[in-house]
Amino acid sequence: GMHQFDLPDSQIEMEDASAAIDWLETFNVFQLAECPVLGSGHTFSPNAEASKRTLERWPDHRHHPDDGRHNPFGIWRLLPEHAARVQPTQLVPVIMPSLVAMLLNKERELGRALESQEVSALVEQSPCIALERADALELEQSRGYADIEPDLAWEQWQLIREMF
């Protein structure tokens, strides 16, 4: 997987498996060859004729963190046309310490699963800094994993928490 290169894997839903493979191969080569500074909300198209798909980065919930196939940098989901939920920004809010660590610690402290409104409150109250996207990606690589998206915290936390 792409975790061998400290990059997210990718996934796409399409009826035509051959077309899906072409999209994913092109996107992965793009990541390796161009080293783009990507973030959720950015778009990608494998060629001029194809419609653009919006990217969202999600945690790798397919494999346990102890499994060698797990990608700590997550998965790029290439969403269907017009399915964008997160808008790209120049500056990225980076929660410190990571949102994953804070949510995990809070659940352990409480001895129970957090509820949606509690996750939202923690995201709102968490200290963060605004970084250029390239600096945020550099921080992730030094940390060794990608944090969850603050705008998608509840949904992504549901995937992460099942692994612990």
Side-chain angles (χ1 to χ4, degrees):
M2 296 296 282
H3 64 289
Q4 301 298 327
F5 304 101
D6 293 341
L7 294 168
D9 287 317
S10 55
Q11 73 179 39
I12 191 169
E13 290 184 28
M14 298 180 87
E15 289 187 29
D16 181 351
S18 177
I21 290 169
D22 288 344
W23 269 79
L24 296 177
E25 285 178 349
T26 303
F27 180 71
N28 289 337
V29 168
F30 170 67
Q31 285 191 91
L32 290 168
E34 300 294 328
C35 301
V37 179
L38 296 172
S40 289
H42 287 157
T43 59
F44 176 79
S45 175
N47 57 56
E49 293 79 40
S51 60
K52 291 182 179 181
R53 292 206 175 209
T54 301
L55 302 171
E56 274 186 3
R57 189 156 56 156
W58 282 74
D60 180 2
H61 64 286
R62 304 164 304 167
H63 310 293
H64 189 274
D66 294 336
D67 186 319
R69 296 169 295 172
H70 176 75
N71 189 331
F73 297 101
I75 301 167
W76 285 117
R77 288 185 179 176
L78 285 85
L79 302 177
E81 239 182 307
H82 309 295
R85 297 184 300 168
V86 177
Q87 296 299 313
T89 58
Q90 182 66 25
L91 293 176
V92 180
V94 177
I95 294 176
M96 304 286 260
S98 74
L99 193 49
V100 167
M102 287 195 323
L103 294 172
L104 183 60
N105 286 337
K106 190 64 172 178
E107 283 199 354
R108 287 179 177 161
E109 175 187 314
L110 295 173
R112 63 171 175 79
L114 292 169
E115 296 176 6
S116 175
Q117 67 272 16
E118 292 172 310
V119 170
S120 295
L122 283 168
V123 170
E124 290 295 319
Q125 298 166 2
S126 295
C128 75
I129 57 175
L131 294 178
E132 295 283 336
R133 187 163 304 282
D135 295 329
L137 292 174
E138 187 177 317
L139 174 64
E140 281 180 4
Q141 288 183 337
S142 70
R143 184 179 11 186
Y145 66 93
D147 202 4
I148 58 180
E149 295 276 352
D151 290 339
L152 302 170
W154 173 250
E155 295 166 85
Q156 292 186 355
W157 177 241
Q158 298 313 296
L159 296 176
I160 293 279
R161 66 180 305 282
E162 291 178 10
M163 290 191 277
F164 294 101

